[in-house]
Amino acid sequence: MTTQDEHPVSGQTVGGRLPDPRSVIECTDWAALEHAYGQAHDTPHRLLQLLDDDPEVQAGALGLLDMSVLHQESLYSATAPAALYVAAVLNDPRTLACHEDHSTWGDRARPLRASLLEWLGQIADSAAYGETTDDEDGNDPGVTGTVRAVRAVRAVRAVRAVRAVRAVRAVRAVRAVRGTIHDAVCAHLLDPDPTVREAALNATTALLRSPEPAGRISATAQILRQLPAESTDRRERATTILTIGAWGEDTTSWLTDPDPAIRACAALSPGCAGNTEATRTILRALLDPAAIDSWFLEPTRADPWAGNPLPYVEGRLRHALLAVAIERADDFDELLPAAMASIPFCSNLTIAEDWGPLLAAAFPSGHDQGAELTPAQHCYLEALADRDVCWRYTHHITSWFDDVGLPADRNAVRALLGRPQPHQ
């Protein structure tokens, strides 16, 4: 990894210029701005404390800033200049001080720089909220029939209107500086510290979630492409590739990576939907479901706190790979080896994630009563019929069978397969 503190921030950004942090402090009329607790006259003091020699003072300052200019994820007129100052000091060596309480949402010891990046990501998330939708205020009071009530409602609405205007202005102010903040954050995508890299990637993702800076994606992805080649951490490499793929960038170069987990994550990219080798990569991986489950420590139904989910992956990686395989495979014959390999992992509780979608893929047009099963359909149904745990509490599975025209009764399925019924 490169050492970011050896050269100035402006030389590491994708484009644009960062303000001088001192000018942000001195040229901002803080008394005219506000945060959650009123006038923001105390904000510059808290910002300067971020660079204090005492890590505990730094931690306290960030905690107070979080409570004031980003109170409950709300934005205020003081938020944009505070965020600009934080972006401008990210490269300061004093942000390398470690303390476990640098953020109010974490308890692990890490550099202040990582916590600042995470905080900027939270601000970006708030700024992007509702940007592409036209949400209405669900708390708007209804109009009553009396004059006094109408006046009260109008007064409440007037106060809300003022607050709404201020909130809109605060959001617009943050959105206006996202590009500059993005450039500062990108400078740390290759930071020597893995916790800083992780926070930088999360913040970058939040900053690129809105339509305005979408043109920066390719340039950012170009920087990020260096990480999988330099990192030895499987989760970090996978997270990077999944992120690049989710941005719509090409991931095919990683389809030949020595690590099967990395190949599979690269193949998941939407851009690989028409890539035959990517589909084969996923189908090969699915032949060993236990291996997939061993790649990353992931939350499970039995232990939802076992690990961290991968970004852009709905549920477990194994189920995400299976869903993509079903979507991309030409027919069920191509899916059959993966379907059979998944049988030992199926139960009545997993039908929505594995054997339900596979049943739908096996019978894409449904099953007509009396129609002969194809060899692949017969093989898969027979394996399911032999799997005891799939047939517990059949109310979990009935709708899946109904949708494809099959009986949700185990003995009826066995009869369909031409197998003798067990003696009662």
Side-chain angles (χ1 to χ4, degrees):
M1 309 302 168
T2 58
T3 302
Q4 302 294 352
D5 297 293
E6 293 176 351
H7 20 100
V9 175
S10 60
Q12 303 169 51
T13 57
V14 176
R17 293 180 60 85
L18 280 167
D20 174 67
R22 178 62 64 175
S23 69
V24 176
I25 297 292
E26 296 177 350
C27 299
T28 300
D29 185 3
W30 297 99
L33 304 179
E34 58 182 24
H35 52 46
Y37 303 103
Q39 278 189 330
H41 54 78
D42 60 335
T43 301
H45 176 62
R46 302 304 179 194
L47 291 171
L48 290 172
Q49 284 183 318
L50 292 174
L51 301 181
D52 194 273
D53 292 332
D54 186 345
E56 290 192 13
V57 174
Q58 293 178 315
L62 181 54
L64 290 170
L65 285 168
D66 185 58
M67 288 189 293
S68 58
V69 304
L70 189 60
H71 182 70
Q72 296 181 349
E73 300 183 351
S74 296
L75 304 181
Y76 303 87
S77 55
T79 307
L84 268 181
Y85 177 87
V86 169
V89 301
L90 281 174
N91 215 50
D92 192 297
R94 287 169 287 186
T95 65
L96 295 176
C98 286
H99 194 281
E100 64 181 15
D101 294 324
H102 274 139
S103 69
T104 56
W105 52 83
D107 58 2
R108 56 176 173 165
R110 59 179 179 170
L112 171 64
R113 182 177 293 172
S115 296
L116 293 176
L117 285 162
E118 188 168 346
W119 189 68
L120 289 173
Q122 294 280 339
I123 290 175
D125 265 334
S126 294
Y129 180 77
E131 192 163 12
T132 56
T133 60
D134 193 13
D135 297 326
E136 296 182 359
D137 183 3
N139 296 318
D140 204 27
V143 178
T144 65
T146 67
V147 173
R148 180 177 295 176
V150 169
R151 287 175 177 171
V153 167
R154 286 175 177 170
V156 169
R157 285 180 171 170
V159 171
R160 285 187 173 177
V162 171
R163 290 176 179 171
V165 169
R166 290 175 179 171
V168 168
R169 288 175 178 169
V171 171
R172 286 176 177 169
V174 172
R175 290 176 179 174
V177 297
R178 274 186 302 202
T180 302
I181 294 172
H182 169 268
D183 292 344
V185 169
C186 278
H188 301 283
L189 287 172
L190 304 178
D191 194 279
D193 189 299
T195 64
V196 173
R197 295 197 299 270
E198 179 185 9
L201 179 56
N202 292 337
T204 299
T205 300
L207 287 159
L208 293 176
R209 192 168 289 136
S210 59
E212 180 187 323
R216 298 174 178 267
I217 287 178
S218 293
T220 306
Q222 199 62 32
I223 296 172
L224 206 53
R225 285 181 183 279
Q226 300 174 54
L227 191 55
E230 299 180 15
S231 176
T232 58
D233 183 88
R234 171 183 272 173
R235 177 177 282 274
E236 182 177 45
R237 298 183 74 221
T239 295
T240 302
I241 290 164
L242 288 167
T243 300
I244 290 173
W247 289 346
E249 297 293 305
D250 181 46
T251 61
T252 55
S253 63
W254 290 294
L255 291 177
T256 56
D257 193 273
D259 188 336
I262 299 304
R263 295 198 297 270
C265 288
L268 272 178
S269 169
C272 287
N275 188 301
T276 302
E277 183 53 38
T279 302
R280 288 176 184 158
T281 295
I282 292 174
L283 290 171
R284 282 195 294 267
L286 288 168
L287 295 178
D288 192 351
I292 299 175
D293 288 345
S294 72
W295 288 344
F296 307 99
L297 186 60
E298 298 178 272
T300 65
R301 193 184 297 270
D303 187 358
W305 307 106
N308 296 319
L310 291 164
Y312 307 102
V313 172
E314 191 71 30
R316 303 205 67 187
L317 178 60
R318 169 160 51 88
H319 295 146
L321 289 169
L322 186 58
V324 170
I326 291 171
E327 181 182 324
R328 297 181 187 176
D330 292 331
D331 52 44
F332 189 67
D333 285 359
E334 188 178 10
L335 282 171
L336 183 61
M340 296 300 291
S342 73
I343 292 290
F345 298 83
C346 295
S347 75
N348 63 313
L349 298 177
T350 69
I351 189 166
E353 290 87 20
D354 44 37
W355 60 293
L358 282 167
L359 269 179
F363 297 89
S365 302
H367 174 67
D368 294 329
Q369 191 172 6
E372 186 175 349
L373 298 174
T374 68
Q377 291 170 339
H378 192 285
C379 181
Y380 187 56
L381 274 181
E382 189 168 42
L384 288 176
D386 288 337
R387 178 75 175 159
D388 291 342
V389 293
C390 287
W391 303 93
R392 297 174 181 170
Y393 309 109
T394 55
H395 62 279
H396 288 299
I397 69 174
T398 299
S399 63
W400 289 93
F401 279 84
D402 288 345
D403 286 346
V404 296
L406 289 171
D409 178 79
R410 190 179 191 181
N411 288 333
V413 170
R414 283 171 167 161
L416 182 64
L417 294 167
R419 293 172 56 174
Q421 301 302 303
H423 295 294
Q424 301 295 326

